[in-house]
């Protein structure tokens, strides 16, 4: 009965918007017709199924896309010294840490090894020369490929302009930058995710979200700096388009708010400990090189890979990072108003870890963990709890090859891996890379650095 009423209301809503649109044909120009139809829909959709848009711009905080925690001086103050607004933006030749077992030296002296990889000097006796070479290669790759602050600023400029355009149709909506571009785990060529928040409650993605995106698609056709707006009907529908000015490809969704929550959670992990971003960028590049980083083809999404690395760093005998959701539950509450999520982690200080392993050691440990320690058939990866949970018989985990818990809604982020042949290929790649790396201690044997940097 409820489903029938919902379909009837949806049909009535569409008919109303269509009728108003047709009536306006009699007296409006082409541009005016479009705006009249959209505004009619916007007015109707606010009350459809009890939807409630924010009361007004003055009632919600400004979108702070560059949150700046107030971190007091401490053991990790130097890790934030060259950042802006309290966040670390590592510049070429600036990633130094004797305690972590690597020091970049070639950029100061213009020296490179015969292979073109930076020479690295090491002052920690516990780390071998080979592992320090591996750490240096990871630093080299990270510094060359990490997203620069200027890249992020270009994406933000486009977001701000698009929000102004969309607010001409839906005055009270908010547009958020999300995903790896803002979390700190993006590279220079990363696409950008945008989330259009139109209400606090969930949105019917199959019908209402598609309709909103189709209206925005028509708007984008009229914007000279936007090209190729394409509506993709998926479980969470998206509007794909390219910004001609920045050259960035964007994916726009409607009310997929869990993406905003996990973006600011991951951003907090990215800047809590200075080794997190380099190892994650290297792992993502490694997985892409070996073709196990494409959820559309039944392998691992980049988001899943990030959670896998964070889980490993949390579960070491001496953790590199903690569970931020456990230690600061008020900052990452799933019930927090979505417009206040960017402010949530503002005052979280850097984490002081007693684990002094080098990047090379951590990469070796990561590959070993998923080769011979983690039990794929019996365990669930949980960053929320900072441990491996026992695999239950619930529908979310039953008969799944890889189980990775989404930190906020508890779904399986690795559900795309549903073929045994793909699962076996993923496991085999972990095992093969670990064996090669522990023998050679050279990143080139599992990821051609020069080719990767050039891309």
């Amino acid at each position: 009965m409820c489903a029938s009423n919902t379909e009837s209301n949806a049909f009535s809503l569409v008919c109303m918007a269509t009728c108003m649109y047709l009536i306006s044909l009699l007296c409006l120009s082409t541009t005016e017709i479009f705006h009249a139809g959209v505004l009619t829909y916007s007015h109707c959709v606010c009350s459809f199924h009890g939807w409630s848009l924010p009361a007004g711009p003055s009632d919600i905080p400004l979108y702070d896309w560059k949150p700046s925690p107030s971190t007091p001086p401490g053991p990790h103050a130097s890790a934030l010294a060259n950042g802006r607004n309290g966040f670390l933006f590592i510049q070429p030749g600036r990633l130094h840490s004797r305690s972590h077992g690597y020091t970049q030296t070639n950029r100061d002296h213009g020296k490179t090894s015969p292979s073109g990889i930076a020479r690295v000097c090491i002052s920690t006796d516990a780390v071998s020369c080979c592992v320090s070479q591996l750490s240096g290669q990871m630093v080299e790759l990270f510094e060359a490929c990490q997203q620069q602050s200027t890249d992020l600023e270009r994406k933000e400029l486009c977001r701000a302009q698009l929000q102004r355009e969309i607010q001409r149709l839906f005055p009270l909506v908010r547009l958020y930058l999300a995903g790896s571009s803002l979390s700190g785990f993006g590279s220079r060529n990363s696409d950008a995710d945008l989330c259009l928040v139109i209400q606090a409650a969930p949105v019917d993605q199959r019908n209402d979200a598609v309709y909103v995106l189709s209206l925005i698609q028509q708007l984008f056709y009229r914007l000279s700096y936007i090209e190729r707006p394409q509506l993709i009907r998926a479980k969470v529908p998206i509007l794909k388009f390219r910004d001609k000015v920045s050259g960035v490809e964007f994916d726009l969704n409607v009310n997929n708010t869990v993406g905003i929550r996990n973006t600011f959670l991951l951003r907090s992990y990215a800047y809590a400990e200075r080794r997190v971003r380099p190892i994650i960028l290297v792992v993502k590049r490694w997985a892409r090189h070996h073709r196990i980083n494409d959820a559309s083809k039944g392998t691992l999404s980049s988001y899943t890979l990030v959670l896998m690395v964070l889980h490993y760093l949390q579960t070491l005998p001496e953790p590199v990072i903690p569970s931020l959701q456990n230690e600061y539950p008020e900052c990452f509450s799933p019930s927090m108003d979505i417009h206040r999520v960017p402010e949530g982690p503002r005052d979280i200080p850097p984490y002081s870890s007693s684990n002094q392993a080098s990047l090379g050691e951590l990469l070796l440990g990561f590959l070993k963990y998923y080769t011979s320690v983690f039990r794929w058939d019996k365990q669930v990866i949980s960053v929320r709890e900072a441990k491996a949970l026992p695999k239950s018989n619930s529908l979310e985990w039953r008969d799944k090859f890889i189980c990775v818990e989404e930190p906020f809604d508890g779904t399986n982020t690795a559900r795309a891996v549903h073929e045994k042949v793909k699962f076996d290929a993923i496991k085999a790649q972990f095992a093969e890379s670990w064996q090669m790396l522990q023998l050679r201690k050279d990143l080139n044997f599992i990821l051609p650095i020069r080719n990767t940097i050039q891309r």
Side-chain angles (χ1 to χ4, degrees), residues 239-258:
L239 184 64
K240 296 181 72 72
F241 60 92
R242 180 178 179 272
D243 171 33
K244 293 180 182 179
V245 178
S246 66
V248 175
E249 298 277 350
F250 286 88
D251 291 344
L252 169 64
N253 68 72
V254 175
N255 255 68
N256 185 31
T257 53
V258 69

Side-chain angles (χ1 to χ4, degrees), residues 189-228:
N189 59 354
S190 293
D191 295 346
D193 296 323
L194 293 170
C195 179
L196 182 68
V197 178
I198 61 177
Q199 67 167 36
V203 168
D204 177 359
Q205 293 291 328
R206 178 175 296 182
N207 298 303
D208 299 328
V210 168
Y211 191 64
V212 170
L213 289 175
S214 68
L215 297 175
I216 295 174
Q217 181 183 28
Q218 296 303 311
L219 167 65
F220 284 6
Y221 280 137
R222 293 163 169 78
L223 300 179
S224 61
Y225 59 93
I226 297 299
E227 64 180 4
R228 303 196 303 267

Side-chain angles (χ1 to χ4, degrees), residues 23-288:
I23 291 171
S24 65
L25 287 172
L26 299 174
C27 56
L28 298 176
S29 66
T30 302
T31 303
E32 291 170 332
I33 289 170
F34 173 71
H35 285 287
V38 171
L39 289 173
T40 299
Y41 173 79
S42 176
H43 175 75
C44 296
V45 82
C46 289
S47 58
F48 179 48
H49 288 284
W51 286 21
S52 57
L53 292 174
S58 61
D59 296 332
I60 51 180
L62 293 174
Y63 174 35
D64 185 1
W65 66 284
K66 288 166 65 177
S68 52
S70 54
T71 54
H76 280 57
S78 61
L80 302 175
N82 65 332
R84 295 183 303 169
N85 294 333
F87 277 130
L88 172 65
F89 287 90
I90 298 175
Q91 302 297 331
R94 295 286 184 86
L95 186 56
H96 304 286
S97 177
R98 294 184 180 276
S99 63
H100 289 163
Y102 52 83
T103 304
Q104 187 76 17
T105 60
N106 72 304
R107 295 191 184 268
D108 294 330
H109 305 291
K111 300 176 182 179
T112 58
S113 66
S115 64
I117 302 303
R119 288 180 182 173
V120 177
C121 67
I122 185 73
S123 64
T124 304
D125 295 335
V127 183
S128 70
C129 179
C130 289
V131 174
S132 70
Q133 166 79 3
L134 175 60
S135 298
Q137 291 174 329
M138 294 174 68
V139 171
E140 179 84 355
L141 181 59
F142 173 68
E143 291 184 342
C145 298
Q146 67 166 322
Q147 176 178 263
Q148 303 296 312
S149 58
T150 52
D151 301 324
L152 181 55
E153 287 165 0
R154 282 194 294 267
K155 294 174 181 179
E156 162 58 18
L157 284 173
C158 185
R159 180 211 67 82
Q161 178 61 31
L162 289 176
Q163 177 171 273
R164 287 191 289 270
E165 298 285 357
I166 295 173
Q167 284 179 338
R168 293 169 62 190
L169 312 179
F170 302 95
L172 302 181
V173 300
R174 299 290 294 277
L175 189 62
Y176 290 86
L177 189 63
S180 63
S181 294
L182 191 56
S183 69
F185 297 127
S187 57
R188 299 217 65 175
N189 59 354
S190 293
D191 295 346
D193 296 323
L194 293 170
C195 179
L196 182 68
V197 178
I198 61 177
Q199 67 167 36
V203 168
D204 177 359
Q205 293 291 328
R206 178 175 296 182
N207 298 303
D208 299 328
V210 168
Y211 191 64
V212 170
L213 289 175
S214 68
L215 297 175
I216 295 174
Q217 181 183 28
Q218 296 303 311
L219 167 65
F220 284 6
Y221 280 137
R222 293 163 169 78
L223 300 179
S224 61
Y225 59 93
I226 297 299
E227 64 180 4
R228 303 196 303 267
Q230 180 184 7
L231 180 57
I232 307 296
R233 296 171 182 266
K235 183 177 180 181
V236 177
I238 59 173
L239 184 64
K240 296 181 72 72
F241 60 92
R242 180 178 179 272
D243 171 33
K244 293 180 182 179
V245 178
S246 66
V248 175
E249 298 277 350
F250 286 88
D251 291 344
L252 169 64
N253 68 72
V254 175
N255 255 68
N256 185 31
T257 53
V258 69
I260 299 174
R261 296 186 191 279
N262 63 48
T263 291
F264 283 91
L265 174 65
L266 295 192
R267 186 175 177 86
S268 300
Y269 279 116
Y271 296 103
E273 221 288 338
R274 67 199 313 262
R275 289 166 290 178
V276 173
R277 292 177 66 212
I279 188 174
I280 284 180
L281 184 143
V282 170
V283 167
K284 288 170 67 176
R285 292 278 168 155
W286 161 78
R288 184 181 307 169

